[in-house]
PDB file of all heavy atoms in Angstrom:
ATOM      1  N   MET X  56      33.434  22.554   5.195  1.00 98.00           N
ATOM      2  CA  MET X  56      33.710  23.683   6.104  1.00 98.00           C
ATOM      3  C   MET X  56      32.629  23.807   7.174  1.00 98.00           C
ATOM      4  O   MET X  56      32.897  24.188   8.303  1.00 98.00           O
ATOM      5  CB  MET X  56      33.777  25.009   5.312  1.00 98.00           C
ATOM      6  CG  MET X  56      34.942  25.080   4.371  1.00 98.00           C
ATOM      7  SD  MET X  56      35.106  26.714   3.612  1.00 98.00           S
ATOM      8  CE  MET X  56      33.785  26.741   2.416  1.00 98.00           C
ATOM      9  N   GLY X 308      34.807  32.095  11.482  1.00 97.00           N
ATOM     10  CA  GLY X 308      36.028  32.008  10.665  1.00 97.00           C
ATOM     11  C   GLY X 308      35.925  31.243   9.366  1.00 97.00           C
ATOM     12  O   GLY X 308      36.901  30.635   8.913  1.00 97.00           O
ATOM     13  N   ILE X 309      34.770  31.296   8.693  1.00 98.00           N
ATOM     14  CA  ILE X 309      34.658  30.514   7.452  1.00 98.00           C
ATOM     15  C   ILE X 309      35.601  31.038   6.359  1.00 98.00           C
ATOM     16  O   ILE X 309      36.127  30.247   5.562  1.00 98.00           O
ATOM     17  CB  ILE X 309      33.188  30.431   6.946  1.00 98.00           C
ATOM     18  CG1 ILE X 309      33.070  29.338   5.880  1.00 98.00           C
ATOM     19  CG2 ILE X 309      32.669  31.778   6.432  1.00 98.00           C
ATOM     20  CD1 ILE X 309      31.674  28.892   5.548  1.00 98.00           C
ATOM     21  N   ASN X 310      35.873  32.355   6.367  1.00 97.00           N
ATOM     22  CA  ASN X 310      36.766  32.869   5.326  1.00 97.00           C
ATOM     23  C   ASN X 310      38.193  32.363   5.502  1.00 97.00           C
ATOM     24  O   ASN X 310      38.869  32.002   4.530  1.00 97.00           O
ATOM     25  CB  ASN X 310      36.763  34.407   5.324  1.00 97.00           C
ATOM     26  CG  ASN X 310      35.440  34.939   4.829  1.00 97.00           C
ATOM     27  OD1 ASN X 310      34.474  35.004   5.588  1.00 97.00           O
ATOM     28  ND2 ASN X 310      35.359  35.259   3.553  1.00 97.00           N
ATOM     29  N   ILE X 311      38.608  32.288   6.773  1.00 97.00           N
ATOM     30  CA  ILE X 311      39.966  31.795   7.048  1.00 97.00           C
ATOM     31  C   ILE X 311      40.063  30.331   6.639  1.00 97.00           C
ATOM     32  O   ILE X 311      41.009  29.880   6.004  1.00 97.00           O
ATOM     33  CB  ILE X 311      40.284  31.949   8.558  1.00 97.00           C
ATOM     34  CG1 ILE X 311      40.224  33.425   8.939  1.00 97.00           C
ATOM     35  CG2 ILE X 311      41.635  31.348   8.914  1.00 97.00           C
ATOM     36  CD1 ILE X 311      40.238  33.693  10.430  1.00 97.00           C
ATOM     37  N   ARG X 312      39.032  29.572   6.989  1.00 97.00           N
ATOM     38  CA  ARG X 312      39.015  28.143   6.654  1.00 97.00           C
ATOM     39  C   ARG X 312      39.027  27.959   5.125  1.00 97.00           C
ATOM     40  O   ARG X 312      39.744  27.104   4.604  1.00 97.00           O
ATOM     41  CB  ARG X 312      37.751  27.504   7.270  1.00 97.00           C
ATOM     42  CG  ARG X 312      37.636  26.024   7.105  1.00 97.00           C
ATOM     43  CD  ARG X 312      38.645  25.253   7.964  1.00 97.00           C
ATOM     44  NE  ARG X 312      38.815  23.899   7.465  1.00 97.00           N
ATOM     45  CZ  ARG X 312      39.984  23.316   7.216  1.00 97.00           C
ATOM     46  NH1 ARG X 312      41.110  23.950   7.466  1.00 97.00           N
ATOM     47  NH2 ARG X 312      40.048  22.091   6.749  1.00 97.00           N
ATOM     48  N   ALA X 313      38.231  28.789   4.424  1.00 98.00           N
ATOM     49  CA  ALA X 313      38.176  28.677   2.957  1.00 98.00           C
ATOM     50  C   ALA X 313      39.556  28.979   2.368  1.00 98.00           C
ATOM     51  O   ALA X 313      40.024  28.269   1.465  1.00 98.00           O
ATOM     52  CB  ALA X 313      37.127  29.634   2.396  1.00 98.00           C
ATOM     53  N   ASP X 314      40.255  30.007   2.890  1.00 97.00           N
ATOM     54  CA  ASP X 314      41.590  30.338   2.376  1.00 97.00           C
ATOM     55  C   ASP X 314      42.563  29.192   2.608  1.00 97.00           C
ATOM     56  O   ASP X 314      43.376  28.866   1.738  1.00 97.00           O
ATOM     57  CB  ASP X 314      42.119  31.615   3.049  1.00 97.00           C
ATOM     58  CG  ASP X 314      41.402  32.852   2.515  1.00 97.00           C
ATOM     59  OD1 ASP X 314      40.759  32.740   1.442  1.00 97.00           O
ATOM     60  OD2 ASP X 314      41.451  33.907   3.177  1.00 97.00           O
ATOM     61  N   MET X 315      42.472  28.570   3.788  1.00 96.00           N
ATOM     62  CA  MET X 315      43.366  27.441   4.077  1.00 96.00           C
ATOM     63  C   MET X 315      43.145  26.312   3.074  1.00 96.00           C
ATOM     64  O   MET X 315      44.090  25.723   2.560  1.00 96.00           O
ATOM     65  CB  MET X 315      43.101  26.910   5.497  1.00 96.00           C
ATOM     66  CG  MET X 315      43.746  27.758   6.580  1.00 96.00           C
ATOM     67  SD  MET X 315      43.102  27.325   8.221  1.00 96.00           S
ATOM     68  CE  MET X 315      43.716  25.666   8.406  1.00 96.00           C
ATOM     69  N   LEU X 316      41.870  26.018   2.809  1.00 96.00           N
ATOM     70  CA  LEU X 316      41.561  24.933   1.870  1.00 96.00           C
ATOM     71  C   LEU X 316      42.000  25.301   0.452  1.00 96.00           C
ATOM     72  O   LEU X 316      42.518  24.464  -0.287  1.00 96.00           O
ATOM     73  CB  LEU X 316      40.056  24.617   1.878  1.00 96.00           C
ATOM     74  CG  LEU X 316      39.505  23.944   3.143  1.00 96.00           C
ATOM     75  CD1 LEU X 316      37.982  23.825   3.054  1.00 96.00           C
ATOM     76  CD2 LEU X 316      40.114  22.561   3.341  1.00 96.00           C
ATOM     77  N   LYS X 317      41.829  26.585   0.111  1.00 96.00           N
ATOM     78  CA  LYS X 317      42.185  27.012  -1.253  1.00 96.00           C
ATOM     79  C   LYS X 317      43.699  26.943  -1.487  1.00 96.00           C
ATOM     80  O   LYS X 317      44.134  26.662  -2.595  1.00 96.00           O
ATOM     81  CB  LYS X 317      41.657  28.429  -1.523  1.00 96.00           C
ATOM     82  CG  LYS X 317      40.166  28.409  -1.847  1.00 96.00           C
ATOM     83  CD  LYS X 317      39.708  29.643  -2.574  1.00 96.00           C
ATOM     84  CE  LYS X 317      39.698  30.846  -1.682  1.00 96.00           C
ATOM     85  NZ  LYS X 317      39.064  32.016  -2.274  1.00 96.00           N
ATOM     86  N   ASN X 318      44.460  27.176  -0.400  1.00 96.00           N
ATOM     87  CA  ASN X 318      45.919  27.100  -0.535  1.00 96.00           C
ATOM     88  C   ASN X 318      46.393  25.742  -1.015  1.00 96.00           C
ATOM     89  O   ASN X 318      47.427  25.615  -1.647  1.00 96.00           O
ATOM     90  CB  ASN X 318      46.594  27.399   0.812  1.00 96.00           C
ATOM     91  CG  ASN X 318      46.659  28.890   1.042  1.00 96.00           C
ATOM     92  OD1 ASN X 318      46.573  29.653   0.079  1.00 96.00           O
ATOM     93  ND2 ASN X 318      46.778  29.298   2.297  1.00 96.00           N
ATOM     94  N   LYS X 319      45.583  24.702  -0.675  1.00 94.00           N
ATOM     95  CA  LYS X 319      46.010  23.343  -1.044  1.00 94.00           C
ATOM     96  C   LYS X 319      45.268  22.822  -2.286  1.00 94.00           C
ATOM     97  O   LYS X 319      45.405  21.673  -2.642  1.00 94.00           O
ATOM     98  CB  LYS X 319      45.721  22.390   0.131  1.00 94.00           C
ATOM     99  CG  LYS X 319      46.628  22.622   1.335  1.00 94.00           C
ATOM    100  CD  LYS X 319      46.394  21.580   2.408  1.00 94.00           C
ATOM    101  CE  LYS X 319      45.216  21.978   3.272  1.00 94.00           C
ATOM    102  NZ  LYS X 319      44.827  21.036   4.287  1.00 94.00           N
ATOM    103  N   ALA X 320      44.445  23.704  -2.909  1.00 95.00           N
ATOM    104  CA  ALA X 320      43.532  23.190  -3.943  1.00 95.00           C
ATOM    105  C   ALA X 320      43.987  23.546  -5.356  1.00 95.00           C
ATOM    106  O   ALA X 320      44.703  24.522  -5.568  1.00 95.00           O
ATOM    107  CB  ALA X 320      42.152  23.769  -3.706  1.00 95.00           C
ATOM    108  N   LYS X 325      39.363  25.258  -6.196  1.00 96.00           N
ATOM    109  CA  LYS X 325      39.308  26.629  -5.629  1.00 96.00           C
ATOM    110  C   LYS X 325      37.954  27.261  -5.924  1.00 96.00           C
ATOM    111  O   LYS X 325      37.342  27.904  -5.072  1.00 96.00           O
ATOM    112  CB  LYS X 325      40.409  27.497  -6.238  1.00 96.00           C
ATOM    113  CG  LYS X 325      41.709  27.389  -5.501  1.00 96.00           C
ATOM    114  CD  LYS X 325      42.712  28.405  -6.012  1.00 96.00           C
ATOM    115  CE  LYS X 325      44.034  28.119  -5.347  1.00 96.00           C
ATOM    116  NZ  LYS X 325      45.191  28.210  -6.160  1.00 96.00           N
ATOM    117  N   ILE X 328      35.240  25.790  -3.775  1.00 97.00           N
ATOM    118  CA  ILE X 328      35.280  26.309  -2.394  1.00 97.00           C
ATOM    119  C   ILE X 328      34.614  27.684  -2.338  1.00 97.00           C
ATOM    120  O   ILE X 328      33.803  27.965  -1.460  1.00 97.00           O
ATOM    121  CB  ILE X 328      36.735  26.362  -1.865  1.00 97.00           C
ATOM    122  CG1 ILE X 328      37.309  24.936  -1.791  1.00 97.00           C
ATOM    123  CG2 ILE X 328      36.800  27.040  -0.495  1.00 97.00           C
ATOM    124  CD1 ILE X 328      38.806  24.864  -1.599  1.00 97.00           C
ATOM    125  N   ASP X 329      34.947  28.534  -3.333  1.00 97.00           N
ATOM    126  CA  ASP X 329      34.331  29.868  -3.373  1.00 97.00           C
ATOM    127  C   ASP X 329      32.824  29.780  -3.539  1.00 97.00           C
ATOM    128  O   ASP X 329      32.081  30.518  -2.899  1.00 97.00           O
ATOM    129  CB  ASP X 329      34.923  30.697  -4.519  1.00 97.00           C
ATOM    130  CG  ASP X 329      36.240  31.311  -4.118  1.00 97.00           C
ATOM    131  OD1 ASP X 329      36.430  31.537  -2.901  1.00 97.00           O
ATOM    132  OD2 ASP X 329      37.089  31.551  -4.996  1.00 97.00           O
ATOM    133  N   LEU X 332      31.261  28.657  -0.303  1.00 98.00           N
ATOM    134  CA  LEU X 332      31.303  29.763   0.659  1.00 98.00           C
ATOM    135  C   LEU X 332      30.144  30.730   0.401  1.00 98.00           C
ATOM    136  O   LEU X 332      29.424  31.133   1.324  1.00 98.00           O
ATOM    137  CB  LEU X 332      32.648  30.492   0.509  1.00 98.00           C
ATOM    138  CG  LEU X 332      32.882  31.720   1.358  1.00 98.00           C
ATOM    139  CD1 LEU X 332      32.935  31.343   2.832  1.00 98.00           C
ATOM    140  CD2 LEU X 332      34.203  32.404   0.967  1.00 98.00           C
TER     141      LEU X 332
END
Side-chain angles (χ1 to χ4, degrees):
M56 293 187 285
I309 194 165
N310 290 81
I311 299 168
R312 184 71 199 130
D314 286 344
M315 281 167 66
L316 290 174
K317 281 200 289 189
N318 279 339
K319 290 185 276 176
K325 273 188 187 139
I328 296 167
D329 278 333
L332 177 66

